[in-house]
């Protein structure tokens, strides 16, 4: 932002004090993300190994299928974000996308979790493409809607924290089930898949009607809409240097997390020698992940979002490097590192997701265009591209070092697996911390941006004042 713009912002009248949304309404609204989170664990951890070991698909084939499906998921996000920003209907901008997306999501999930006998690689690919289309139609508008709920610097992190906490709860539910299935349904992969799918469908049926009505949508920006110019819009978005920094940092986070997740079952089962422990260790990690949400919210309030993100990523680096000290009998150290992983979990994701809305404010001040949905869609693109690359790289690398998930592996191969499991994520977290270090929008600068946006309210831009009037009216309506 220029010096003149900052001076104008400081001369602008102060924005109204932000309205604080109540916990009950935030929990209900944030529950919309639970079925999306619940499907992540099976698709990134359990479904690929099941299709590889029990359905006769090769590791390379599984890696390519899930890589292409997640890349498709990432590619369609900007279009959904752009169209969501421009949608005008009696039901709002975001709500129609979420409702229709839920139906498409369910349509694709059915054959993935209930595969017929003739199911092959092409059929699995088609089902995943449909599933991820619905996933994007829900996730991207939901993220934008969440970013629009407040213009206050720390309140945005608080809202994101509720979403992160309920994500951990959904992951717990998705992890409890496999831990129970390991012994009861051992050797029955179709029943394991069906049970995992049932959990996803149950959460979708419960949370969709609850979350979609929990909050009214903020009013869209006033004024006529320009024609859609996709390439022009994308050039503007990807010309936003601060957004690119957030995207690159988040991509590295998700790449690191994805490599760890893709290799977790193999590492615990083959290197540690305890295949039945994998679901329980995932469960332990996400139990502590719930406690991590308020912890990192408090850290972010104290030191700011950028410093909290860097601290979280460097903590993850230390934890992953400590994995190199593990030996097959190091049970106590394994448990300690799992707990530490849970407490550090999501620190970078939480802060970076909150920062996206701050960058969208800066972009709106600079260009006059509200592109928060598009910004969250490209943030989601970095999310999914990181995970897709992780699966597409980690599994072939495991095969390259000689690892065989269906046979016996020599000690040297298992030692290489440990190094891959530890150093891959550590490198990703180092890159993430380096990229986001020194991010220029802190609480003071964001306050300057919001004050200038408030001063331009007469031009039809959404400001703190109009948003707070809407929230106050919504609160009075919910209490009446």
């Amino acid at each position: 932002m220029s010096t003149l713009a900052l001076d104008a912002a400081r001369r602008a009248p102060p924005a109204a004090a932000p309205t604080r949304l109540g916990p009950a309404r935030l929990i209900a609204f944030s529950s919309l993300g639970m079925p999306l989170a619940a499907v992540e664990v099976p698709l990134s951890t359990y479904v690929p190994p099941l299709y590889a070991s029990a359905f006769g698909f090769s590791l390379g084939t599984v890696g390519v299928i899930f890589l292409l499906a997640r890349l498709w998921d990432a590619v369609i996000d900007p279009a959904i974000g752009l169209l969501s920003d421009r949608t005008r209907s009696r039901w709002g901008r975001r709500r129609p996308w979420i409702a229709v997306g839920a139906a498409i999501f369910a349509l694709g999930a059915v054959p993935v979790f209930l595969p017929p006998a003739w199911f092959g690689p092409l059929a699995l690919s088609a089902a995943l493409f449909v599933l991820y289309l619905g996933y994007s139609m829900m996730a991207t508008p939901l993220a934008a809607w969440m970013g629009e709920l407040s213009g206050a610097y720390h309140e945005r992190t608080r809202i994101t924290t509720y979403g992160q906490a309920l994500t951990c709860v959904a992951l717990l539910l998705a992890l409890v089930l496999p831990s129970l299935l390991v012994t009861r349904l051992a050797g029955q992969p179709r029943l394991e898949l069906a049970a995992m799918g049932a959990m996803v469908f149950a959460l979708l049926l419960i949370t969709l009607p609850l979350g979609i009505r929990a909050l009214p949508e903020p009013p869209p920006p006033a004024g006529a809409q320009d024609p859609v110019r996709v390439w022009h819009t994308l050039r503007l978005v990807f010309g936003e240097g601060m957004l690119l920094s957030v995207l690159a940092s988040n991509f590295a986070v998700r790449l690191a997390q994805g490599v760890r997740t893709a290799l977790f079952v193999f590492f615990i089962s083959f290197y540690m020698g305890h295949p039945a422990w994998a679901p329980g260790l995932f469960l332990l990690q996400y139990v502590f992940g719930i406690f991590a949400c308020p912890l990192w919210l408090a850290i972010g309030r104290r030191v700011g979002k950028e410093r909290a993100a860097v601290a979280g990523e460097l903590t993850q680096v230390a934890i992953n490097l400590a994995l190199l000290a593990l030996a097959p009998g190091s049970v106590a150290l394994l448990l300690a590192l799992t707990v530490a992983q849970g407490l550090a979990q999501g620190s970078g994701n939480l802060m970076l997701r909150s920062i996206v809305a701050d960058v969208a404010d800066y972009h709106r001040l600079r260009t006059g265009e509200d592109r928060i949905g598009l910004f969250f869609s490209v943030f989601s693109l970095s999310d999914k591209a990181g995970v897709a690359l992780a699966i597409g790289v980690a599994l072939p690398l495991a095969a390259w070092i000689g690892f065989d998930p269906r046979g016996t592996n020599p000690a040297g191969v298992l030692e290489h697996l440990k190094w891959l499991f530890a150093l891959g994520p550590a490198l990703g977290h180092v890159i993430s911390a380096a990229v986001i270090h020194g991010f220029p929008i802190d609480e003071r600068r964001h306050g300057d941006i919001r004050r200038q946006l408030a001063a331009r309210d007469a031009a039809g831009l959404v400001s703190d004042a109009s948003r707070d009037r809407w929230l106050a009216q919504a609160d009075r309506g919910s209490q009446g």
Side-chain angles (χ1 to χ4, degrees):
M1 189 188 300
S2 68
T3 303
L4 290 176
L6 284 175
D7 289 341
R10 294 187 182 104
R11 292 194 301 269
T19 299
R20 183 182 174 90
L21 288 171
R25 297 173 67 208
L26 273 179
I27 289 172
F29 173 75
S30 300
S31 71
L32 279 169
M34 293 183 74
L36 303 178
V39 83
E40 284 287 343
V41 172
L43 290 184
S44 62
T45 306
Y46 295 105
V47 173
L50 278 174
Y51 273 95
S53 60
F55 289 85
F57 290 28
S58 70
L59 271 181
T61 299
V62 172
V64 169
I65 289 174
F66 279 83
L67 172 63
L68 293 177
R70 292 311 297 256
L71 288 176
W72 151 254
D73 182 26
V75 165
I76 60 175
D77 270 339
I80 292 173
L82 178 61
L83 293 173
S84 171
D85 280 340
R86 302 176 64 82
T87 297
R88 299 293 185 271
S89 77
R90 57 182 294 188
W91 300 283
R93 289 197 288 176
R94 318 298 181 188
R95 189 178 285 109
W97 284 90
I98 294 172
V100 175
I104 296 174
F105 174 80
L107 183 65
V110 169
V112 170
F113 290 102
L114 295 171
W118 49 265
F119 218 55
L122 289 178
L124 175 61
S125 299
L128 285 171
F129 272 49
V130 174
L131 186 155
Y132 281 124
L133 172 62
Y135 184 107
S136 292
M137 290 176 66
M138 294 179 68
T140 298
L142 176 61
W145 191 352
M146 190 171 289
E148 292 167 325
L149 290 176
S150 176
Y153 183 77
H154 289 303
E155 180 66 9
R156 280 178 169 166
T157 308
R158 175 176 172 264
I159 292 168
T160 306
T161 300
Y162 272 83
Q164 187 85 9
L166 285 183
T167 293
C168 288
V169 171
L171 292 171
L172 278 177
L173 294 175
L175 288 165
V176 168
L177 188 62
S179 67
L180 297 175
L181 298 179
V182 164
T183 54
R184 296 189 181 184
L185 297 179
Q188 302 181 71
R190 291 185 181 277
L191 288 180
E192 288 189 59
L193 281 173
M196 293 177 196
M199 173 66 72
V200 174
F201 298 136
L203 284 173
L204 184 65
L205 290 173
I206 293 170
T207 63
L208 182 63
L210 178 67
I212 209 166
R213 296 182 297 180
L215 288 170
E217 288 193 42
Q225 299 184 78
D226 293 331
V228 176
R229 293 177 294 174
V230 176
W231 292 114
H232 172 71
T233 301
L234 291 179
R235 280 198 302 271
L236 284 176
V237 170
F238 288 103
E240 192 66 75
M242 286 190 288
L243 178 64
L244 293 181
S245 295
V246 178
L247 297 181
S249 182
N250 187 64
F251 175 84
V253 172
R254 295 298 279 163
L255 178 63
Q257 293 172 337
V259 168
R260 186 176 192 276
T261 300
L263 298 176
F264 187 85
V265 172
F266 294 149
F267 176 76
I268 299 300
S269 300
F270 290 87
Y271 182 84
M272 299 301 297
H274 297 284
W277 287 15
L281 288 173
F282 257 127
L283 183 64
L284 181 65
Q285 176 178 311
Y286 285 106
V287 166
F288 282 91
I290 295 175
F291 296 113
C293 292
L295 170 66
W296 288 101
L297 173 61
I299 293 173
R301 286 184 182 278
R302 186 171 183 84
V303 304
K305 299 176 187 178
E306 175 263 336
R307 291 181 179 178
V310 171
E313 292 310 294
L314 294 181
T315 301
Q316 294 269 20
V317 172
I319 293 168
N320 281 282
L321 291 179
L323 291 169
L324 294 174
L326 281 173
S330 307
V331 176
L333 180 58
L334 176 63
L335 291 175
L337 291 176
T338 301
V339 170
Q341 185 74 40
L343 291 175
Q345 179 174 285
S347 52
N349 303 103
L350 174 63
M351 297 302 157
L352 293 172
R353 187 172 292 276
S354 181
I355 288 172
V356 171
D358 301 339
V359 178
D361 284 341
Y362 169 79
H363 180 83
R364 182 155 57 92
L365 177 61
R366 190 169 62 84
T367 67
E369 293 289 339
D370 177 16
R371 295 190 172 99
I372 189 170
L374 185 59
F375 274 38
F376 272 104
S377 72
V378 293
F379 182 82
S380 180
L381 187 153
S382 72
D383 249 1
K384 296 166 184 176
V387 173
L389 184 61
I391 296 175
V393 168
L395 295 183
L397 276 178
W400 179 72
I401 64 175
F403 176 73
D404 182 2
R406 290 172 287 184
T408 302
N409 294 276
V413 169
L414 294 179
E415 190 67 20
H416 290 151
L417 178 67
K418 181 179 76 170
W419 280 79
L420 180 61
F421 181 67
L423 294 185
L427 178 60
H429 289 299
V430 165
I431 294 172
S432 175
V435 170
I436 202 62
H437 176 65
F439 189 78
I441 298 183
D442 56 11
E443 184 175 9
R444 181 194 60 79
R445 188 173 185 187
H446 183 254
D448 292 338
I449 293 168
R450 294 300 303 188
R451 280 192 293 274
Q452 190 165 358
L453 285 174
R456 288 166 47 178
D457 187 41
L461 296 174
V462 179
S463 70
D464 279 337
S466 65
R467 237 171 250 255
D468 290 335
R469 285 195 298 271
W470 161 75
L471 285 172
Q473 293 167 0
D475 279 328
R476 286 196 296 271
S478 66
Q479 295 167 6

